[in-house]
Amino acid sequence: MKKTFLYFILISILFMGINFAHGDKKHKKGQDTVTVVNGDTIAVNGVMVNDSLSFANGTIVHDNSEVTEDFELTIKDVFLEHIHNKIIHFPIVLIVMSFFFSLFQFKYQKFDHTIKVMVLSAALFSIIAFLTGTNQMDPFEGTAKDWLVHLHRTFGIVTIATIVVWSIFLFVNKLKKYAWLIATLAFLIVSVTSFLGGVIAH
């Protein structure tokens, strides 16, 4: 029974990874397609450019006059911007790893302390992620993604509540043997929450 359950979970993870890893965003494959006429680059991937000089300089001028420039990373300027985006990966990884260690615990019976530390850490980072995410909601007010942001926030609250329940199950001896059920629930909920966050970020 346990082995069948493990196979089911692993197949589900593979399915979710293939289908939902990056939302519905299509990624560019292969090299750029450059259209050249009389020695001048007139289009890159079907997008018109003004001249070959602007293409060579890394600045493509589209026919709607938008200019795309290289991004310059300045740590001191971006460190405190969009903190939610920077912190959210910690609780996700901690929850996923805690879930896997909960499965390994069936066979090896030596990850109890590790799971407790990771779940408590996940709870802390989840609260920070929730607070910083709430502070980043204003730009979405009144936009097409407004409802999606509020749904993501709701799932964030459910995620935190599930982690708290998971912690209780881990530390109460009578409930400890059922902790893997809460671990599975937390894994599924954080998967949905992460998917929604990924769609918002696109």
Side-chain angles (χ1 to χ4, degrees):
M1 179 65 182
K2 289 179 181 177
K3 192 175 285 188
T4 303
F5 175 76
L6 179 61
Y7 288 146
F8 171 77
I9 292 297
L10 292 176
I11 290 170
S12 299
I13 293 168
L14 180 62
F15 176 78
M16 285 191 295
I18 292 171
N19 287 287
F20 305 126
H22 294 286
D24 57 356
K25 201 80 169 178
K26 296 289 188 292
H27 292 270
K28 192 198 304 182
K29 295 180 180 178
Q31 297 180 337
D32 292 328
T33 302
V34 180
T35 305
V36 180
V37 177
N38 295 329
D40 286 329
T41 301
I42 63 167
V44 177
N45 294 327
V47 179
M48 298 296 293
V49 296
N50 280 353
D51 53 50
S52 57
L53 181 60
S54 64
F55 176 70
N57 289 337
T59 303
I60 299 175
V61 182
H62 302 269
D63 52 3
N64 61 359
S65 299
E66 280 188 18
V67 178
T68 305
E69 298 178 354
D70 291 336
F71 175 74
E72 184 177 333
L73 178 64
T74 308
I75 300 298
K76 66 177 182 179
D77 292 338
V78 300
F79 185 75
L80 294 178
E81 289 181 0
H82 302 106
I83 299 175
H84 176 77
N85 305 43
K86 298 177 177 70
I87 206 80
I88 192 59
H89 300 91
F90 292 101
I92 293 172
V93 170
L94 287 165
I95 291 169
V96 171
M97 291 305 298
S98 299
F99 166 72
F100 280 114
F101 275 109
S102 296
L103 298 182
F104 297 151
Q105 182 74 356
F106 281 129
K107 183 174 183 179
Y108 299 107
Q109 299 293 320
K110 60 180 182 180
F111 298 115
D112 189 54
H113 180 71
T114 303
I115 295 169
K116 288 178 180 177
V117 171
M118 287 197 298
V119 170
L120 290 176
S121 299
L124 175 62
F125 279 111
S126 294
I127 293 170
I128 296 172
F130 174 78
L131 295 174
T132 54
T134 300
N135 289 337
Q136 290 179 207
M137 289 178 65
D138 289 346
F140 293 97
E141 291 294 329
T143 68
K145 289 186 177 180
D146 188 12
W147 69 271
L148 190 60
V149 172
H150 283 85
L151 180 62
H152 178 59
R153 181 178 182 270
T154 301
F155 268 93
I157 294 171
V158 175
T159 300
I160 293 171
T162 306
I163 297 171
V164 171
V165 173
W166 189 1
S167 301
I168 294 170
F169 272 63
L170 287 172
F171 285 93
V172 176
N173 288 328
K174 291 182 179 179
L175 300 174
K176 189 178 290 187
K177 62 182 177 181
Y178 302 111
W180 67 273
L181 290 170
I182 311 301
T184 304
L185 182 62
F187 172 78
L188 294 174
I189 292 172
V190 81
S191 296
V192 174
T193 310
S194 301
F195 171 69
L196 294 174
V199 174
I200 293 168
H202 277 303

